[in-house]
Amino acid sequence: MVTTAILGFPRIGANRELKRLQERYWSGRIPEATFSQGIAELRLNHLKQLQSLGLDIIPSNDAPEYDAMLDTTLMLGAIPERFGWSGGPLSRAIACRMARGQAPGDQGSDGAAALEMTKWFDTNYHYLVPELSPRLALQWADDSVVRRYREARDAGIATRPVLIGPLTWLRLGKSDLPDWDPLALLPRIVPIYREVLGALWAAGAKAVQIDEPILATDLDADTAAAFARVYAQLQGDGLPAITLATYFAPLADNQTLVCGLPVAELHVDALRGGDELEFVAQALPASTRLSVGIIDGRNIWTADLAQSLFRLQAIADIIGSERLTVASSCSLMHVPVDVRGETDLDDELRSWLSFAVQKVEEIVTLGRALKGESVAVALAHNAAIITGRRDSQRVHRPAVQQRMSAANSEEEQRGAAYAQRAQAQTKALPLPLLPTTTIGSFPQTAEIRATRARYKAGEISEADYRAAMEDEIRTVIQRQEAIGLDVLVHGEAERNDMVEYFGEHLSGFATTRNGWVLSYGSRCVKPPLIYGDLERQRPMTVDWARFAQACTDKPVKGMLTGPVTMLQWSFVRNDQARQDTCRQLAYAIRDEVADLEAAGIAIIQIDEPAFREGLPIRQHQRQDYLDWAVSCFRVAAGSAQVHTQIHTHMCYSEFNDIIASIADLDADVISIETSRSHMELLDAFRDFSYPNGIGPGVYDIHSPRVPPKEEMQELLRKACSLIPPERVWVNPDCGLKTRKWEEVEPALRHLVGCAQDCRLALAQRS
Ligand code: GLN
Ligand code: ZN
């Protein structure tokens, strides 16, 4: 029989209830019991909602309190020594400390450093990185998965519990023992998984979902070989049937391996691995079911149900419909909860969107169609939406299309090579050695945010809003002058978010009211939507930059978000290639660069903090991405004249494997995050002999701490020993919008002081 399933549902709640609960609990405003009860209710609501939507297979344990990788770490008792766990049941306090470095009530104490956090594959969700070592006292230490299964069961809902698989958990962990392979832990953790699976079976679970997304990455031979061994050990009498889930990328070389694994069902991502679907269907043993992830868990467009049905039918013809499951491509946690919350969008645009709840409806409709039930009305309605969007004039703008087809590679070239540009810029813009600057934003005070909100709500006039922002800019400029910075910024007070701000100024973009997606902890992001051809209607930043420049004799740096980052941090249209959308963004920024320059702005920064995260998961797809991403950046910067200095900024990045492309961007100056890694990132730039200017961050802005001047000096000295000082800039790691003035002001004074001292030292040496 055809069944329907999702791999996971957003846990944040339709109104971010999870965030509120977490923050109240962490700050001690509610006791632990209230928190427990609150999240149990939230979980139960989701289960009931899925049940009432008519979904066959409802996941449980897909809503961790903090993070599913952390839950797996807790389950396996892989608790690093510094958390002081000595066996026995794990308290929520320990889990909190591992996640956040602090449990409610821990105030003031130094605490143990939290686990590191990093991006979950190519999503914007961050997981907590397991710390692996042979010393870990591994044992089944946390039974949340069983408790959550029972909780649902007792409410009358049969669920399929979700676990992260042992190989993904191990391979996403880190170890600092150079000659030790964490796979050595397998013989100790597989029995724990067996124990857990046995307990789930005993509690009534007939099936489980085990996620092994590393099957969609390039595997080393040992890991690949371990799969068959591990999964043979996880099946048998008295254990639930396993659905093994892969997603996010094609299986590529792992296709044959995956199809041969001894599991009851295989789940594949039919969007990212669509070309492989038929091969998999054919290669799968007759006893194995196939779960086809046909509804996109990574994007928000209403699915073309007729087309989906056509593809599903083709698979059913191969394997027989009794072996088919219709599913979401991955967990729905990467999309917002419910389109019905988007009351600000017009009906047409809203009809194009499908968030988690709507995606479940789509899956259920597809399932009913395949079961032979009549869904003619739903399909007709869907077909009208799909054709409406395809033919809409809001999507297709002839002027944009014309410009794209006339694009030529000349537009990617600055007027001269870096060396010549550097000379022209020095002449146009006398700056000291080791110039000091910031990355763009200054503290966003409650007052600034309130002013923006009131303006948005129509409570204050445009003129009043403008005046308030100009006041802020004036103050920010004065403060920077007083601190003694060399290149100033306007402070970005008018920007709620570095992508959304530009989205609001480009046609083809829409912003949502409630389209939140979890990023980490209680932090959610609200990516704007790109639904149509992108066109700049008028200058977006020029007035603010011009005003700021009029307040000072020092150069003010114009601030733009780059095309790749805008693409990466938005929900992007699915009716054209990503690179085509990126190119449209690039032209919009290109025009803004030209306008800033014409308004007398001599330095323009084009931020690309998401440049690296756009890198495809699969090695064989990377160069293609890097080529078009570099080309788009160069189009954006390419309108600048030789004497205009183009900066870019990247943070949280590993540069080693993409350094050639970073150099290809050919920005005159790049600022990067380096302070926390003690300038280790700079090694890549040195080894590559990176030719242009670099501003390695010397001030870690992720912490409220004010680093002493000596500490920054140490970092700057190190930077100057790796990179010729003539090309070194001095700046923080990133923007300062999340910090307070009390921290920023002294820290920047230290930064300026440290640059001055280093200049003196360098002058004495020569
Ligand atoms: N210019 C932006 C800021 O300073 C850059 C932010 C970022 O890198 N994420 O806020
Ligand atoms: Zn940054």
Side-chain angles (χ1 to χ4, degrees), residues 99-117:
R100 314 183 59 242
Q102 213 177 25
D106 275 359
Q107 48 335 52
S109 64
D110 290 343
L115 299 188
E116 216 174 83
M117 206 166 58

Side-chain angles (χ1 to χ4, degrees), residues 439-441 492 498 559 569 605 607 609 649 651 734-737:
I439 306 304
S441 58
E492 302 182 23
M498 66 185 291
M559 245 346 116
W569 289 350
Q605 180 170 309
D607 289 325
H649 164 71
C651 42
C734 191
L736 300 164
K737 73 174 179 193

Side-chain angles (χ1 to χ4, degrees), residues 531-549:
Y531 64 84
D533 288 338
L534 296 158
E535 199 169 23
R536 193 184 72 136
Q537 302 300 315
R538 59 192 71 82
M540 306 181 279
T541 64
V542 174
D543 284 351
W544 304 122
R546 190 191 284 118
F547 180 86
Q549 187 61 81

Side-chain angles (χ1 to χ4, degrees), residues 32-53:
E32 184 173 350
T34 313
F35 174 68
S36 296
Q37 198 191 339
I39 46 173
E41 266 166 34
L42 199 54
R43 277 198 299 262
L44 203 57
N45 286 344
H46 290 160
L47 295 173
K48 285 186 182 149
Q49 190 174 17
L50 294 176
Q51 193 179 41
S52 70
L53 288 169

